[in-house]
Amino acid sequence: MNALKANEVTLWQTIKTSNLSSNQDKIEIQNKLKEARYAMKAADFWLRYLDPLAYKKINGPLPVEWETEVFEKSEKPYKRLGAGLALASLCLAEDAIQKDTLLQLVSASIEVMPIYLADSTTGTLNSFQHAFLCNRLFLLNLATLYTTGFECPNKEEVIPELLVALKSVNEIYAEFNRDFPSTPFAQEYLAQYAECIEFVESQPKSLGLFDHYTFIRDFINPLFAKNQELIKKYRIVSHSLVDYTLNNDATAIFSKNLYKGQNEKGIYSRVNDPYVLAEIDRIGKLLFYDPILSGNNRRSCASCHKSGEFFTDTVAKTALQYDGVHSLLRNTPSLINANFNHLLMLDGMHFTLQRQTKAVVLNRLEMGGTEKDILTKILSCKEYKESLTKLAKYTPWEPKINMDHIASAITLYYSKFSKGLAPFDDAMNKNAEIDKPAIDGFNLFMGKAQCATCHFLPLFNGVKPPYVNSEFEVLGVPDDSLYRTFGADSGRYIINSAYETMHAFRTGTLRNTAKTKPYMHNGVFQNLMQVVDFYNVGGGVGKKLRVENQTLASDSLNLTGAEKQKLIAFMHTLNESIPFEAPPANLPKSKRKNLQWRKVGGEY
């Protein structure tokens, strides 16, 4: 850390005394910036884990970020200003370089260094436990960030910086084992890590030629498993918010229990009895298909979220409104893997599955129900009333049946379909093989195509390590596939009114994407090739639409036709094996005559 601070001070002084109109001076600044970045990568193992907020000042990838993290997602989003070396690199690459801006970005990085040198931080290093927790985040970042260019603007430096980080951490392991001989990194782990370094050294230094697939499958995923074993063996307990969602029992990065995004049980959180959970699931399924939840008894959750279509609607660009005539503004999102998002809906309006469910049911444009009417109708059904009354015994703080009981049963039901693995998971876990075009497509995904800078492993959504928040992007999605006009939907701006959030939407998962057309928030694209073409040209700006705050790079990716096909071949390997169930044969009978003819799944 002292080396990083010294390099940053030298960089600041070089900028201060430079003449930015001189190419020689600019080259000197670039060299000092490179040295500072190498020093940062050497310390990244500690920096990113011990104080992630300070790290944004050292190497923040964006000038402004609006965050809502999992442990405070019920609060309003708050503004984080980025600074440091990544932004300094971008600033230095501009045609009109602003010296004051450069100095400010580097100064902000220098100013946070005392945080890492304070006793409150260094004191934690007296315990052996932090090393394994830091290492876990380091390994997750090796699989997701360090090889993608996410926070390294110079693509030619991604792999050299990776090597610096790998070799520096190897020295950390050796020093740690000398200091804590009773809780060491195992020799088996160290041997495989050494092989990992040898592999990277044998690779081309070009990001576009790096074999991400082998790197993650043969080295990072197995190393992660071994580190998890050590965390359990040494009974390591974290008190850091960085580890808030991570699961010590996960044995692989590509497992569906790596992190927890949502509590699908809701009000039934304390229930662990499998027989009781099975009853909640049964009732949840009936409610999901029952139009009794709608104002006119003709519309159910399954009206838009069709189980045979991965709980979305693959026919309509956007679903019908409650009136049965007009269409909703946005495409129906799949409910599969929804529980791996911290914020829900395309604009992040809701922070729990249950709030999202209730909001849809009570929305006058969607299901048009009212809480009082729904409860009255449901309790008129003997089967619902008896079951929900028994289940309410497991929620003594809420003994009276209410909408939380209903919503929680529904979310428990559909969330069980999010446990399936895909061929790509099996390949990464060495339980199967995938074809070479798909492997090539994954390497493109991580490198040249830049997909992985927004769609993070293992869920390929907008939740990146340490998996505590959801990211939003401005892509410039058009109103029509001919790119005549830019979409009017203001997206995240509705929830958090800021310049950066206008037209921003939550980054969704690419799992099952080959099965869940149409695509984008408004369903504008009908096939994956259209989507790939959209990104390849640089989004809306690349198509000459005016999108002032687009976060997607507007330069062409220059993908060839063959490369596009390989990308799509890879995306097909993300289709999960899911044992969908048939809809219920019948719905519970009601005492009310007008409810006797309800149709399973609704009428429209």
Side-chain angles (χ1 to χ4, degrees):
M1 295 186 193
N2 285 321
L4 171 59
K5 184 177 180 180
N7 275 276
E8 288 183 319
V9 169
T10 300
L11 171 62
W12 188 90
Q13 292 171 340
T14 304
I15 297 170
K16 183 69 174 176
T17 59
S18 69
N19 176 7
L20 292 177
S21 62
S22 165
N23 286 332
Q24 184 175 350
D25 281 13
K26 283 194 285 187
I27 291 172
E28 180 64 14
I29 294 172
Q30 289 170 344
N31 289 335
K32 297 302 181 185
L33 180 57
K34 178 178 178 178
E35 291 172 7
R37 286 194 62 86
Y38 281 6
M40 176 194 69
K41 285 298 178 181
D44 204 82
F45 180 89
W46 303 112
L47 295 173
R48 193 185 292 269
Y49 181 87
L50 294 178
D51 199 314
L53 295 182
Y55 185 82
K56 291 183 182 296
K57 297 294 186 181
I58 295 173
N59 196 39
L62 295 173
V64 176
E65 289 184 86
W66 288 93
E67 296 185 352
T68 307
E69 294 175 327
V70 60
F71 37 83
E72 52 192 4
K73 58 188 177 182
S74 61
E75 300 179 9
K76 290 183 178 181
Y78 50 92
K79 189 176 184 178
R80 294 282 185 203
L81 296 178
L85 305 183
L87 293 174
S89 296
L90 292 172
C91 182
L92 194 59
E94 293 177 355
D95 293 333
I97 304 172
Q98 300 295 321
K99 180 184 281 193
D100 288 346
T101 301
L102 261 178
L103 290 170
Q104 183 179 2
L105 291 171
V106 178
S107 293
S109 182
I110 296 171
E111 288 167 3
V112 298
M113 289 309 298
I115 293 174
Y116 292 100
L117 301 174
D119 291 343
S120 58
T121 301
T122 58
T124 63
L125 304 182
N126 294 326
S127 165
F128 71 90
Q129 301 196 44
H130 282 84
F132 297 96
L133 298 172
C134 288
N135 195 49
R136 176 166 61 183
L137 181 59
F138 173 68
L139 293 168
L140 289 170
N141 284 327
L142 282 173
T144 56
L145 302 184
Y146 293 154
T147 62
T148 65
F150 173 76
E151 51 194 17
C152 179
N154 185 352
K155 299 299 184 287
E156 294 178 0
E157 283 294 316
V158 172
I159 305 306
E161 287 187 3
L162 172 66
L163 265 173
V164 169
L166 288 170
K167 291 179 178 180
S168 298
V169 170
N170 205 30
E171 295 175 6
I172 291 172
Y173 293 153
E175 186 175 351
F176 176 86
N177 281 4
R178 288 193 297 269
D179 292 342
F180 298 96
S182 61
T183 55
F185 282 95
Q187 288 304 311
E188 181 186 7
Y189 177 95
L190 295 176
Q192 187 160 33
Y193 189 83
E195 292 175 4
C196 176
I197 294 177
E198 291 177 6
F199 171 79
V200 176
E201 287 180 321
S202 71
Q203 285 287 297
K205 298 304 181 283
S206 168
L207 177 61
L209 299 175
F210 188 78
D211 186 354
H212 303 265
Y213 180 81
T214 302
F215 176 66
I216 298 171
R217 182 196 62 179
D218 291 358
F219 300 105
I220 305 308
N221 200 31
L223 286 169
F224 176 84
K226 289 180 172 63
N227 192 69
Q228 289 287 87
E229 290 173 8
L230 293 174
I231 286 175
K232 296 193 73 173
K233 178 181 178 180
Y234 299 145
R235 298 181 179 180
I236 290 173
V237 177
S238 172
H239 300 289
S240 170
L241 294 176
V242 174
D243 301 303
Y244 193 92
T245 70
L246 291 169
N247 180 7
N248 287 353
D249 293 326
T251 58
I253 295 173
F254 293 86
S255 83
K256 282 299 189 71
N257 67 342
L258 174 65
Y259 75 90
K260 192 171 183 66
Q262 290 287 332
N263 173 14
E264 61 272 9
K265 293 181 183 179
I267 201 171
Y268 301 113
S269 293
R270 298 181 186 178
V271 177
N272 293 307
D273 186 319
Y275 295 102
V276 179
L277 290 172
E279 177 61 11
I280 299 171
D281 171 77
R282 186 185 74 84
I283 289 298
K285 178 176 180 177
L286 289 172
L287 289 166
F288 187 87
Y289 284 94
D290 199 335
I292 202 170
L293 296 179
S294 66
N296 59 11
N297 306 312
R298 298 175 57 205
R299 195 164 172 83
S300 74
C301 301
S303 292
C304 299
H305 300 280
K306 306 177 191 302
S307 63
E309 299 174 27
F310 287 75
F311 288 101
T312 183
D313 187 336
T314 61
V315 176
K317 288 178 61 176
T318 63
L320 282 175
Q321 291 186 19
Y322 179 71
D323 62 13
V325 178
H326 301 93
S327 295
L328 293 167
L329 182 64
R330 297 174 185 166
N331 178 247
T332 301
S334 171
L335 297 179
I336 305 298
N337 298 315
N339 52 321
F340 293 105
N341 292 305
H342 296 304
L343 297 176
L344 302 159
M345 306 298 281
L346 292 167
D347 55 18
M349 178 180 291
H350 305 297
F351 57 87
T352 72
L353 294 172
Q354 294 74 36
R355 288 172 67 98
Q356 184 268 337
T357 299
K358 289 188 290 184
V360 171
V361 169
L362 302 178
N363 191 310
R364 61 183 180 82
L365 296 180
E366 297 185 68
M367 292 182 69
T370 65
E371 188 165 347
K372 181 179 179 180
D373 188 39
I374 289 169
L375 290 171
T376 300
K377 290 188 293 182
I378 283 178
L379 294 178
S380 75
C381 302
K382 181 180 178 182
E383 185 175 354
Y384 281 143
K385 185 175 182 179
E386 290 182 351
S387 180
L388 289 169
T389 299
K390 291 178 182 178
L391 292 174
K393 294 178 181 178
Y394 296 92
T395 60
W397 62 93
E398 286 284 354
K400 187 176 180 181
I401 299 169
N402 59 38
M403 285 297 295
D404 285 328
H405 294 91
I406 294 166
S408 298
I410 292 172
T411 59
L412 180 72
Y413 161 67
Y414 73 68
S415 291
K416 71 181 178 183
F417 298 107
S418 298
K419 298 175 182 177
L421 295 178
F424 187 79
D425 300 315
D426 292 333
M428 279 291 168
N429 294 328
K430 296 186 177 180
N431 295 323
E433 299 287 340
I434 57 175
D435 295 336
K436 189 176 186 305
I439 294 174
D440 292 343
F442 175 69
N443 286 329
L444 284 164
F445 183 93
M446 297 291 286
K448 180 180 178 180
Q450 301 178 27
C451 312
T453 59
C454 293
H455 294 276
F456 305 105
L457 280 63
L459 269 295
F460 298 95
N461 60 4
V463 186
K464 68 178 186 296
Y467 305 108
V468 294
N469 58 16
S470 296
E471 297 209 340
F472 296 79
E473 300 290 343
V474 181
L475 305 176
V477 176
D479 279 328
D480 64 284
S481 58
L482 296 178
Y483 296 89
R484 287 174 291 202
T485 56
F486 174 49
D489 191 335
S490 56
R492 181 69 171 157
Y493 187 86
I494 297 171
I495 311 304
N496 176 36
S497 301
Y499 172 79
E500 295 82 11
T501 62
M502 178 60 76
H503 307 302
F505 294 90
R506 179 175 53 77
T507 302
T509 181
L510 295 183
R511 286 178 175 268
N512 306 308
T513 191
K515 300 285 188 178
T516 53
K517 70 175 182 89
Y519 304 107
M520 315 313 279
H521 68 271
N522 55 3
V524 67
F525 299 134
Q526 289 295 316
N527 58 65
L528 287 175
M529 185 56 77
Q530 288 180 311
V531 176
V532 172
D533 283 338
F534 169 76
Y535 284 100
N536 186 48
V537 299
V541 173
K543 276 289 189 177
K544 309 303 180 185
L545 296 176
R546 185 175 180 180
V547 191
E548 294 180 354
N549 64 333
Q550 181 170 303
T551 56
L552 177 69
S554 58
D555 296 333
S556 173
L557 298 172
N558 297 311
L559 296 172
T560 66
E563 287 173 333
K564 294 175 186 177
Q565 292 292 351
K566 288 176 180 178
L567 266 178
I568 292 172
F570 158 64
M571 285 189 270
H572 275 268
T573 70
L574 297 179
N575 294 337
E576 297 173 339
S577 177
I578 301 173
F580 291 113
E581 300 173 351
N586 299 292
L587 296 172
K589 298 296 183 183
S590 170
K591 294 179 181 178
R592 297 171 58 171
K593 291 183 179 180
N594 67 317
L595 298 176
Q596 297 297 355
W597 308 107
R598 306 189 318 274
K599 182 179 178 181
V600 174
E603 298 175 28
Y604 70 100

